[in-house]
Amino acid sequence: MGGTGILATGSYVPERIVTGADIAGPAGVTPEWIERKTQIAARRYAAPDQATSDLAAEAAARTLRQAGLPASALRYLIVSTSTPDSPQPPTSHLVQDALGAHGAACFDINVVCSGFVYGLALARALVAQEPGAYALVVAADVYSRILDPTDRRTVVLFGDGAGAALVGAVPEGGFVDVELTGHGHAHGLIGVEAGGSRHPATHDTVENGGHFFRMKGRAVRDFAVEHVPGAVRTLVERTGHRLADVDHFVPHQANGVLLGELVTLAGLDHAHTHRTLERYGNTGSASVALALDEAHRGGHLRAGDLVLLAGFGGGMSLGAALLRWTATG
């Protein structure tokens, strides 16, 4: 029987390369400290005239080119971001306009670094209800605009980027199952305090740094260690598979040291874990999407391979997806 799967992928990172030496001084650390703590050697920053929708549109266009599909064929366009161009209009509508995907139903989602997996879950459900439809999931973030250069907990980790995947009907394989969970009691671990309806942006909030992204790094690490291994294990085992069956693991690229811990704790040391953080850092919602595209374009994923995706981020949120690989473009 046929199912729903990923037909094509795409990604984009800005041209500007930012090394540890570029950010170490204001953050009060050394480049060596950054690499030892994070395993990140470089990240990319958007140009002054680039916004999230620009990165998203380029990743989307590359995906459609790989699929050989015109933008007009899209029925759904889902954009995952926690750094929208502006509070309104939705970034997805800007991407739609840039692509020329006229008539597609489009909307934004924001579950931070879990967003790409959440978007895939939504796309899967939409396509399953409308055979023949195509859904494009785009994940993009421009964190460089909301980083405090003196905050070593965040500035050393984050960069800018975008990734995308086209979801549609497949003759066999595709999505096996997904696991999505929220942990709202931990909402205070990651966030931007000012700029919303509770704390509108004012002169004082800007002066006090309320518009900057903040993260309680140690607590986030503890959350990931406690919840991510169990979530992926639950997903894999309830589908009748074993962890040993997983061929590829594509996780959120949060921090290199943490990523190594999670792979071992989840029982996935045998799988090919795809990493991009050494070159791009933590690209937020785009993280899993970008790593998946590099794995696909690099020829590492073969038809029938069992691929596990996993994201975790602000909220706190978790998202994992298991699929039999089908994309050949």
Side-chain angles (χ1 to χ4, degrees), residues 18-141:
V18 178
T19 67
D22 296 322
I23 59 177
V29 296
T30 65
E32 293 74 23
W33 182 92
I34 294 173
E35 290 205 41
R36 176 166 53 85
K37 290 288 188 178
T38 70
Q39 297 180 3
I40 297 171
R43 67 285 293 148
R44 301 294 182 96
Y45 279 6
D49 62 346
Q50 286 182 311
T52 296
S53 66
D54 298 311
L55 276 59
E58 182 58 35
R62 293 181 181 188
T63 305
L64 292 172
R65 284 199 296 271
Q66 185 185 85
L69 192 74
S72 59
L74 294 177
R75 178 68 184 90
Y76 300 101
L77 174 60
I78 303 168
V79 172
S80 168
T81 185
S82 55
T83 58
D85 285 27
S86 59
Q88 294 185 43
T91 300
S92 56
H93 289 67
L94 303 177
V95 176
Q96 179 198 46
D97 185 47
L99 291 175
H102 307 300
C106 44
F107 57 92
D108 293 7
I109 60 173
N110 179 9
V111 277
V112 199
C113 303
S114 301
F116 179 64
V117 178
Y118 271 66
L120 290 177
L122 288 168
R124 174 197 183 206
L126 291 167
V127 170
Q129 295 182 73
E130 191 174 344
Y134 294 104
L136 183 62
V137 180
V138 191
D141 271 310

Side-chain angles (χ1 to χ4, degrees), residues 233-280:
R233 189 177 303 113
T234 295
L235 171 63
V236 172
E237 292 179 353
R238 78 160 179 247
T239 65
H241 292 89
R242 300 171 301 148
L243 289 167
D245 297 331
V246 175
D247 298 301
H248 301 273
F249 183 40
V250 187
H252 170 45
Q253 312 284 306
N255 171 302
V257 176
L258 172 59
L259 186 52
E261 287 186 77
L262 291 178
V263 168
T264 297
L265 289 171
L268 292 167
D269 285 305
H270 67 281
H272 185 163
T273 296
H274 297 274
R275 296 168 57 116
T276 59
L277 64 90
E278 290 85 357
R279 290 170 287 124
Y280 304 138

